[in-house]
Amino acid sequence: MNKRIFPKIYYYDQDFIDIYNKSLSWIQDKIVFPQTLEKGKREKNYYSESLEFIDQIQACLSSFFLVYSNGEYSPTSTIDKFYQLQEASGAIRSRYDKSNNAIYMEGNDEGIGLPIFAWAEYNLYHKTGNKRRISDVLPILDKYYRWIEKNFLKGNGLYSINVNKIFYKNSPRKDAYYPIDFNSLQVHSAYCISKLADILNDKNLSLEYKKRFFSLKAKINSLMWDEIDGFYYDLDINEKIIRCKTIVGFLPMLSEIPSEDRIERMVFYLKSDKHFGTPNPFPTLSVDDSKFNLDGNGYYGSVYTYMNFFIIKGLEYCRRANIAREFTIRHLYYVLDTLLPDGKVKGHIWEAYKPMKEGPAYFDVENKILPKKDIICYLALFSISLMIENIIGLTISLPDKTVYWNIPALEIMGIECLSLRKNQTTIICNKGKRGWEIKMESEKLYYFTINILNKKEKTLPIPSGRCSMLLDKL
């Protein structure tokens, strides 16, 4: 595989470069190319972990790393397949087979998936700057949101769904009637739709979803937050808090639902080794819970990579980039140790890992059932997306023509041949004879904001052509 399909990264830990490059090769195996093309018809390749079906969560999450493929692999084509199958009611089911028939898994009569389409689209807009796409997808997102609202919103203003039957098999959340995760993701959808409507200057739609956002945010803060514990909980059918600390209690950070004071209290739990700050962060159940299992046992203590991605992004959105980076690195090291257990024999990529030591967690400890393996989508969220955005520290917004670089350490790091639409950009931090410097090359003018060790921050234009700057002079 030509690695320049994706940008080349520079980092001082070779293991991270290796897992990045290996991920690129593994991704190629998951790309489905069109078999035949009718005359005059163009069909894009699409990403799928299975040739038998497409999965909504994986389709959305894959867009977060495929967007860095410099246009070679479409980050939107799998998502578009779901949009094309939207029903008149607005429903989009979570899985479809090769014949476009909805797959209804046990306990999921409506075929509902996690509501993350709008989040994926908002991220895509900032990475691609494709305003025309927003015009196409916004009506679809609006209908989908209204379908969820009609079927799952209750009279108290919260959403009710049986997450244990639908999303989390073998979970301690059996009495959850109003789940904090589904409500948090739905409020994040409202936030993203309002932002997308703003981009199109659709003031009515934007206002409508801002109202939805603030209404649901207020309900979550008033009913699902416990001031004594400093934590967001599920509610039972009687709207009573279920005092079971699970990892989904941190999902409100995705839409910055908690106040600054509440964020600090929540971060305490993420750092504490008595709760979620295990050597391999983050277990799905707090360590101090009597049901916590060192071997995972599904959602009784396993570390799920895709769930960690939600938490890391929540920390980032709540201006906790340095903490997010630390947790990203810690989890990725455990993935590496399990993939290469003795440095020679190749292991596997697992859906879930143990919280205290290397190796896959058990989905079912009693029956010695392991979780799913070799789902590259979840690995690539860390080894590609978070590698670029959190570990190296680059945040890109094409509509704003800005590149923000949070340099966490004075070490060799950077990126080469990053595609900003049709513009190839290279930004590398290295130590030369004159000291630490940043070398840049760009075909067009962009604005570059650099944060050095969280001490200095400066915004400069990146001129077309090549240039360099000494960090000591900034």
Side-chain angles (χ1 to χ4, degrees), residues 33 39 80 89 97 103 110 123 185-186 204 232 245 259 269 272 278 309 327 331 337 339 376-377 393 432 437:
F33 293 92
K39 188 176 181 180
D80 289 340
S89 64
D97 64 19
I103 299 174
E110 291 289 345
N123 178 70
L185 291 173
Q186 184 70 342
N204 291 333
Y232 286 97
K245 292 186 181 70
S259 63
Y269 287 112
S272 169
T278 50
F309 180 75
F327 288 133
H331 179 60
D337 289 341
L339 180 63
I376 306 306
C377 174
E437 63 180 343

Side-chain angles (χ1 to χ4, degrees), residues 389-442:
E389 297 167 12
N390 290 78
I391 297 178
I392 293 176
L394 286 165
T395 303
I396 298 147
S397 177
L398 275 184
D400 299 333
K401 291 189 175 181
T402 60
V403 177
Y404 181 88
W405 194 4
N406 179 28
I407 296 182
L410 290 180
E411 300 282 356
I412 297 173
M413 65 177 72
I415 197 162
E416 180 181 314
C417 292
L418 172 66
S419 178
L420 303 179
R421 199 173 291 172
K422 296 181 180 180
N423 176 33
Q424 293 283 315
T425 300
T426 295
I427 307 172
I428 300 171
C429 178
N430 202 351
K431 190 173 185 180
K433 294 180 180 179
R434 300 182 299 165
W436 286 98
E437 63 180 343
I438 295 176
K439 295 181 179 180
M440 296 179 289
E441 183 176 352
S442 180

Side-chain angles (χ1 to χ4, degrees), residues 121-323:
E121 294 294 346
Y122 188 56
N123 178 70
L124 282 166
Y125 173 69
H126 278 282
K127 297 299 189 295
T128 66
N130 188 348
K131 189 174 179 179
R132 181 182 298 177
R133 178 172 175 83
I134 299 176
S135 300
D136 295 336
V137 304
L138 199 53
I140 297 170
L141 298 175
D142 179 34
K143 285 180 65 177
Y144 180 64
Y145 191 101
R146 292 175 189 275
W147 172 70
I148 294 176
E149 194 173 59
K150 180 180 179 181
N151 286 274
F152 301 102
L153 184 65
K154 300 301 180 182
N156 63 355
L158 291 174
Y159 289 81
S160 175
I161 189 170
N162 193 331
V163 290
N164 291 307
K165 283 188 177 181
I166 297 175
F167 304 120
Y168 313 120
K169 309 294 183 182
N170 199 15
S171 163
R173 302 168 63 200
K174 291 180 173 57
D175 295 325
Y177 188 79
Y178 299 102
I180 183 61
D181 48 346
F182 193 88
N183 279 276
S184 297
L185 291 173
Q186 184 70 342
V187 77
H188 191 48
S189 291
Y191 172 84
C192 292
I193 292 174
S194 72
K195 290 293 185 181
L196 293 172
D198 283 336
I199 293 163
L200 296 182
N201 200 29
D202 189 335
K203 295 180 181 179
N204 291 333
L205 190 64
S206 174
L207 179 60
E208 190 176 333
Y209 275 91
K210 280 183 173 67
K211 289 179 180 178
R212 283 183 166 95
F213 168 74
F214 285 113
S215 175
L216 186 51
K217 175 181 176 179
K219 290 292 183 180
I220 291 172
N221 274 327
S222 62
L223 297 175
M224 308 184 89
W225 171 262
D226 183 81
E227 185 60 31
I228 296 174
D229 292 351
F231 202 80
Y232 286 97
Y233 290 108
D234 296 321
L235 303 182
D236 65 17
I237 195 170
N238 297 313
E239 299 181 21
K240 301 296 183 183
I241 279 178
I242 302 171
R243 294 188 184 280
C244 177
K245 292 186 181 70
T246 65
I247 193 63
V248 296
F250 298 97
L251 289 191
M253 290 193 295
L254 272 175
S255 277
E256 302 177 48
I257 292 173
S259 63
E260 189 66 23
D261 176 64
R262 290 184 179 183
I263 293 170
E264 280 299 307
R265 298 181 71 183
M266 295 167 74
V267 169
F268 163 79
Y269 287 112
L270 290 175
K271 290 180 175 180
S272 169
D273 58 7
K274 294 181 175 62
H275 298 94
F276 297 92
T278 50
N280 181 17
F282 305 103
T284 42
L285 184 64
S286 180
V287 174
D288 67 346
D289 193 292
S290 61
K291 296 178 182 178
F292 174 79
N293 194 302
L294 283 169
D295 291 319
N297 196 30
Y299 288 87
Y300 285 88
S302 304
V303 177
Y304 281 83
T305 299
Y306 82 93
M307 189 62 72
N308 275 6
F309 180 75
F310 292 154
I311 308 307
I312 295 297
K313 280 297 167 188
L315 286 168
E316 178 190 321
Y317 296 163
C318 289
R319 301 162 299 281
R320 300 299 191 279
N322 291 334
I323 301 172

Side-chain angles (χ1 to χ4, degrees), residues 36 41 189 244-245 308 356-357 393 457:
T36 58
K41 181 181 178 182
S189 291
C244 177
K245 292 186 181 70
N308 275 6
M356 302 290 194
K357 55 186 177 181
E457 184 167 307

